[in-house]
Amino acid sequence: MLFILSIFLKDPYKSLREEIDQLSMQQIQEMYVVKKKLKVLEEELLLDEQVMPQMMNTSKSPAPSPKPEKKEIHDIIKNQVLVLSKQGLSIDQIARQSSLTAEEVEIILSSTSLKGDYYA
């Protein structure tokens, strides 16, 4: 009788687990935004260091333009995108929540569905 009763009872820790999951996702998002801003600042500092010697140089040769680097997206962010997609959110909503562009979200979704790596 207790066994049958235990099947129908709610899990008292389910809401706590969901809150912890939400906090973890929020922390991951915030860390990603901070790292993104830090990377931009580092690039600006590097550009400033490269421009200063060139400005002091008397020659009028044009400065070589830095090549844009391909942005590496962490697996945790990819997993977050997949989970949000499974929940039925639109690409724009996923992009806002994960601090990515809509194009990056589309690339993640298409690449993981092609690979068969749809894990969440």
Side-chain angles (χ1 to χ4, degrees), residues 37-63:
K37 288 179 181 180
L38 181 62
K39 187 174 182 179
V40 168
L41 287 174
E42 287 174 345
E43 288 175 358
E44 286 179 4
L45 286 174
L46 287 175
L47 284 177
D48 288 344
E49 289 175 3
Q50 291 174 356
V51 170
M52 288 299 285
Q54 291 174 358
M55 288 176 61
M56 292 185 179
N57 191 1
T58 56
S59 68
K60 301 287 182 181
S61 62

mmCIF file of all heavy atoms in Angstrom, residues 37-63:
data_model
loop_
_atom_site.group_PDB
_atom_site.id
_atom_site.type_symbol
_atom_site.label_atom_id
_atom_site.label_comp_id
_atom_site.label_asym_id
_atom_site.label_seq_id
_atom_site.Cartn_x
_atom_site.Cartn_y
_atom_site.Cartn_z
ATOM 1 N N LYS A 37 32.783 40.378 -22.576
ATOM 2 C CA LYS A 37 33.184 41.770 -22.389
ATOM 3 C C LYS A 37 34.681 41.872 -22.117
ATOM 4 O O LYS A 37 35.348 42.782 -22.614
ATOM 5 C CB LYS A 37 32.395 42.402 -21.239
ATOM 6 C CG LYS A 37 30.945 42.654 -21.582
ATOM 7 C CD LYS A 37 30.197 43.264 -20.424
ATOM 8 C CE LYS A 37 28.731 43.490 -20.770
ATOM 9 N NZ LYS A 37 27.993 44.092 -19.661
ATOM 10 N N LEU A 38 35.210 40.937 -21.342
ATOM 11 C CA LEU A 38 36.642 40.930 -21.058
ATOM 12 C C LEU A 38 37.450 40.718 -22.330
ATOM 13 O O LEU A 38 38.473 41.378 -22.541
ATOM 14 C CB LEU A 38 36.967 39.840 -20.031
ATOM 15 C CG LEU A 38 38.423 39.725 -19.600
ATOM 16 C CD1 LEU A 38 38.883 41.009 -18.923
ATOM 17 C CD2 LEU A 38 38.598 38.549 -18.661
ATOM 18 N N LYS A 39 36.976 39.846 -23.180
ATOM 19 C CA LYS A 39 37.674 39.596 -24.443
ATOM 20 C C LYS A 39 37.682 40.849 -25.321
ATOM 21 O O LYS A 39 38.697 41.188 -25.931
ATOM 22 C CB LYS A 39 37.012 38.435 -25.178
ATOM 23 C CG LYS A 39 37.753 37.996 -26.409
ATOM 24 C CD LYS A 39 37.128 36.766 -26.998
ATOM 25 C CE LYS A 39 37.928 36.311 -28.209
ATOM 26 N NZ LYS A 39 37.372 35.095 -28.793
ATOM 27 N N VAL A 40 36.549 41.547 -25.354
ATOM 28 C CA VAL A 40 36.474 42.783 -26.140
ATOM 29 C C VAL A 40 37.457 43.814 -25.591
ATOM 30 O O VAL A 40 38.181 44.475 -26.355
ATOM 31 C CB VAL A 40 35.028 43.331 -26.141
ATOM 32 C CG1 VAL A 40 34.980 44.741 -26.698
ATOM 33 C CG2 VAL A 40 34.119 42.411 -26.925
ATOM 34 N N LEU A 41 37.518 43.938 -24.276
ATOM 35 C CA LEU A 41 38.448 44.889 -23.663
ATOM 36 C C LEU A 41 39.900 44.516 -23.962
ATOM 37 O O LEU A 41 40.729 45.384 -24.258
ATOM 38 C CB LEU A 41 38.224 44.959 -22.150
ATOM 39 C CG LEU A 41 36.960 45.669 -21.693
ATOM 40 C CD1 LEU A 41 36.791 45.525 -20.191
ATOM 41 C CD2 LEU A 41 37.004 47.133 -22.083
ATOM 42 N N GLU A 42 40.208 43.230 -23.883
ATOM 43 C CA GLU A 42 41.568 42.791 -24.187
ATOM 44 C C GLU A 42 41.929 43.097 -25.630
ATOM 45 O O GLU A 42 43.045 43.541 -25.921
ATOM 46 C CB GLU A 42 41.711 41.287 -23.920
ATOM 47 C CG GLU A 42 41.737 40.934 -22.455
ATOM 48 C CD GLU A 42 41.725 39.430 -22.214
ATOM 49 O OE1 GLU A 42 41.416 38.652 -23.138
ATOM 50 O OE2 GLU A 42 42.035 39.038 -21.064
ATOM 51 N N GLU A 43 40.980 42.873 -26.550
ATOM 52 C CA GLU A 43 41.233 43.177 -27.959
ATOM 53 C C GLU A 43 41.456 44.676 -28.154
ATOM 54 O O GLU A 43 42.327 45.085 -28.924
ATOM 55 C CB GLU A 43 40.074 42.685 -28.813
ATOM 56 C CG GLU A 43 40.024 41.185 -28.943
ATOM 57 C CD GLU A 43 38.799 40.686 -29.684
ATOM 58 O OE1 GLU A 43 37.941 41.515 -30.085
ATOM 59 O OE2 GLU A 43 38.699 39.461 -29.858
ATOM 60 N N GLU A 44 40.674 45.495 -27.458
ATOM 61 C CA GLU A 44 40.853 46.944 -27.570
ATOM 62 C C GLU A 44 42.228 47.354 -27.051
ATOM 63 O O GLU A 44 42.888 48.203 -27.640
ATOM 64 C CB GLU A 44 39.755 47.674 -26.801
ATOM 65 C CG GLU A 44 38.416 47.628 -27.483
ATOM 66 C CD GLU A 44 37.337 48.336 -26.691
ATOM 67 O OE1 GLU A 44 37.638 48.941 -25.635
ATOM 68 O OE2 GLU A 44 36.176 48.288 -27.131
ATOM 69 N N LEU A 45 42.643 46.759 -25.947
ATOM 70 C CA LEU A 45 43.967 47.069 -25.412
ATOM 71 C C LEU A 45 45.062 46.649 -26.381
ATOM 72 O O LEU A 45 46.038 47.380 -26.575
ATOM 73 C CB LEU A 45 44.175 46.396 -24.058
ATOM 74 C CG LEU A 45 43.419 47.010 -22.883
ATOM 75 C CD1 LEU A 45 43.599 46.154 -21.640
ATOM 76 C CD2 LEU A 45 43.897 48.422 -22.621
ATOM 77 N N LEU A 46 44.911 45.488 -26.991
ATOM 78 C CA LEU A 46 45.901 45.034 -27.961
ATOM 79 C C LEU A 46 45.933 45.953 -29.169
ATOM 80 O O LEU A 46 47.008 46.266 -29.687
ATOM 81 C CB LEU A 46 45.612 43.597 -28.394
ATOM 82 C CG LEU A 46 45.924 42.514 -27.364
ATOM 83 C CD1 LEU A 46 45.472 41.156 -27.872
ATOM 84 C CD2 LEU A 46 47.405 42.488 -27.043
ATOM 85 N N LEU A 47 44.762 46.385 -29.624
ATOM 86 C CA LEU A 47 44.710 47.311 -30.753
ATOM 87 C C LEU A 47 45.383 48.629 -30.405
ATOM 88 O O LEU A 47 46.115 49.204 -31.203
ATOM 89 C CB LEU A 47 43.272 47.551 -31.192
ATOM 90 C CG LEU A 47 42.613 46.445 -31.994
ATOM 91 C CD1 LEU A 47 41.159 46.798 -32.282
ATOM 92 C CD2 LEU A 47 43.352 46.195 -33.289
ATOM 93 N N ASP A 48 45.111 49.125 -29.193
ATOM 94 C CA ASP A 48 45.742 50.375 -28.765
ATOM 95 C C ASP A 48 47.261 50.238 -28.724
ATOM 96 O O ASP A 48 47.981 51.137 -29.120
ATOM 97 C CB ASP A 48 45.219 50.799 -27.392
ATOM 98 C CG ASP A 48 43.789 51.316 -27.449
ATOM 99 O OD1 ASP A 48 43.323 51.637 -28.569
ATOM 100 O OD2 ASP A 48 43.153 51.389 -26.387
ATOM 101 N N GLU A 49 47.744 49.098 -28.243
ATOM 102 C CA GLU A 49 49.187 48.879 -28.186
ATOM 103 C C GLU A 49 49.790 48.796 -29.579
ATOM 104 O O GLU A 49 50.920 49.222 -29.811
ATOM 105 C CB GLU A 49 49.500 47.597 -27.411
ATOM 106 C CG GLU A 49 49.245 47.719 -25.927
ATOM 107 C CD GLU A 49 49.441 46.398 -25.190
ATOM 108 O OE1 GLU A 49 49.826 45.397 -25.818
ATOM 109 O OE2 GLU A 49 49.201 46.386 -23.968
ATOM 110 N N GLN A 50 49.057 48.265 -30.541
ATOM 111 C CA GLN A 50 49.550 48.164 -31.906
ATOM 112 C C GLN A 50 49.475 49.509 -32.619
ATOM 113 O O GLN A 50 50.318 49.839 -33.425
ATOM 114 C CB GLN A 50 48.743 47.125 -32.688
ATOM 115 C CG GLN A 50 48.980 45.715 -32.220
ATOM 116 C CD GLN A 50 48.061 44.717 -32.907
ATOM 117 O OE1 GLN A 50 47.188 45.102 -33.681
ATOM 118 N NE2 GLN A 50 48.256 43.445 -32.621
ATOM 119 N N VAL A 51 48.459 50.306 -32.317
ATOM 120 C CA VAL A 51 48.261 51.580 -32.998
ATOM 121 C C VAL A 51 49.257 52.627 -32.508
ATOM 122 O O VAL A 51 49.764 53.425 -33.299
ATOM 123 C CB VAL A 51 46.806 52.066 -32.810
ATOM 124 C CG1 VAL A 51 46.621 53.481 -33.300
ATOM 125 C CG2 VAL A 51 45.856 51.123 -33.512
ATOM 126 N N MET A 52 49.571 52.636 -31.237
ATOM 127 C CA MET A 52 50.471 53.651 -30.683
ATOM 128 C C MET A 52 51.839 53.666 -31.374
ATOM 129 O O MET A 52 52.284 54.736 -31.793
ATOM 130 C CB MET A 52 50.637 53.450 -29.169
ATOM 131 C CG MET A 52 49.405 53.832 -28.362
ATOM 132 S SD MET A 52 48.954 55.556 -28.555
ATOM 133 C CE MET A 52 50.223 56.304 -27.565
ATOM 134 N N PRO A 53 52.534 52.538 -31.515
ATOM 135 C CA PRO A 53 53.819 52.597 -32.211
ATOM 136 C C PRO A 53 53.662 53.010 -33.672
ATOM 137 O O PRO A 53 54.526 53.711 -34.214
ATOM 138 C CB PRO A 53 54.355 51.160 -32.118
ATOM 139 C CG PRO A 53 53.657 50.547 -30.974
ATOM 140 C CD PRO A 53 52.326 51.231 -30.919
ATOM 141 N N GLN A 54 52.577 52.627 -34.308
ATOM 142 C CA GLN A 54 52.362 52.992 -35.701
ATOM 143 C C GLN A 54 52.082 54.484 -35.842
ATOM 144 O O GLN A 54 52.476 55.101 -36.820
ATOM 145 C CB GLN A 54 51.203 52.190 -36.286
ATOM 146 C CG GLN A 54 51.542 50.726 -36.446
ATOM 147 C CD GLN A 54 50.345 49.919 -36.890
ATOM 148 O OE1 GLN A 54 49.247 50.458 -37.037
ATOM 149 N NE2 GLN A 54 50.563 48.640 -37.109
ATOM 150 N N MET A 55 51.421 55.070 -34.853
ATOM 151 C CA MET A 55 51.157 56.504 -34.901
ATOM 152 C C MET A 55 52.444 57.291 -34.735
ATOM 153 O O MET A 55 52.616 58.355 -35.325
ATOM 154 C CB MET A 55 50.146 56.898 -33.819
ATOM 155 C CG MET A 55 48.737 56.421 -34.127
ATOM 156 S SD MET A 55 47.569 56.769 -32.809
ATOM 157 C CE MET A 55 47.635 58.539 -32.721
ATOM 158 N N MET A 56 53.353 56.782 -33.941
ATOM 159 C CA MET A 56 54.610 57.472 -33.721
ATOM 160 C C MET A 56 55.561 57.285 -34.891
ATOM 161 O O MET A 56 56.487 58.066 -35.063
ATOM 162 C CB MET A 56 55.253 56.981 -32.425
ATOM 163 C CG MET A 56 54.482 57.398 -31.205
ATOM 164 S SD MET A 56 55.352 56.912 -29.736
ATOM 165 C CE MET A 56 54.281 57.544 -28.502
ATOM 166 N N ASN A 57 55.331 56.269 -35.666
ATOM 167 C CA ASN A 57 56.156 56.014 -36.834
ATOM 168 C C ASN A 57 55.887 57.106 -37.869
ATOM 169 O O ASN A 57 54.750 57.474 -38.129
ATOM 170 C CB ASN A 57 55.817 54.624 -37.391
ATOM 171 C CG ASN A 57 56.817 54.186 -38.444
ATOM 172 O OD1 ASN A 57 57.764 54.896 -38.754
ATOM 173 N ND2 ASN A 57 56.583 53.006 -38.991
ATOM 174 N N THR A 58 56.940 57.644 -38.471
ATOM 175 C CA THR A 58 56.773 58.748 -39.412
ATOM 176 C C THR A 58 56.367 58.279 -40.795
ATOM 177 O O THR A 58 55.901 59.081 -41.599
ATOM 178 C CB THR A 58 58.093 59.543 -39.534
ATOM 179 O OG1 THR A 58 59.130 58.643 -39.918
ATOM 180 C CG2 THR A 58 58.431 60.211 -38.224
ATOM 181 N N SER A 59 56.505 57.005 -41.097
ATOM 182 C CA SER A 59 56.113 56.518 -42.417
ATOM 183 C C SER A 59 54.607 56.512 -42.544
ATOM 184 O O SER A 59 53.883 56.365 -41.572
ATOM 185 C CB SER A 59 56.662 55.111 -42.664
ATOM 186 O OG SER A 59 56.027 54.203 -41.806
ATOM 187 N N LYS A 60 54.118 56.689 -43.748
ATOM 188 C CA LYS A 60 52.683 56.766 -44.006
ATOM 189 C C LYS A 60 52.114 55.427 -44.469
ATOM 190 O O LYS A 60 51.081 55.389 -45.099
ATOM 191 C CB LYS A 60 52.408 57.817 -45.090
ATOM 192 C CG LYS A 60 52.879 59.196 -44.740
ATOM 193 C CD LYS A 60 51.992 59.801 -43.710
ATOM 194 C CE LYS A 60 52.474 61.225 -43.430
ATOM 195 N NZ LYS A 60 51.714 61.883 -42.455
ATOM 196 N N SER A 61 52.767 54.325 -44.163
ATOM 197 C CA SER A 61 52.275 53.022 -44.607
ATOM 198 C C SER A 61 51.005 52.666 -43.847
ATOM 199 O O SER A 61 50.906 52.914 -42.647
ATOM 200 C CB SER A 61 53.331 51.936 -44.404
ATOM 201 O OG SER A 61 53.627 51.809 -43.034
ATOM 202 N N PRO A 62 50.015 52.096 -44.550
ATOM 203 C CA PRO A 62 48.765 51.734 -43.861
ATOM 204 C C PRO A 62 48.989 50.574 -42.897
ATOM 205 O O PRO A 62 49.793 49.699 -43.141
ATOM 206 C CB PRO A 62 47.824 51.336 -44.996
ATOM 207 C CG PRO A 62 48.703 50.969 -46.131
ATOM 208 C CD PRO A 62 49.977 51.778 -45.963
ATOM 209 N N ALA A 63 48.263 50.627 -41.817
ATOM 210 C CA ALA A 63 48.392 49.586 -40.794
ATOM 211 C C ALA A 63 47.678 48.324 -41.262
ATOM 212 O O ALA A 63 46.598 48.402 -41.851
ATOM 213 C CB ALA A 63 47.781 50.067 -39.486
#
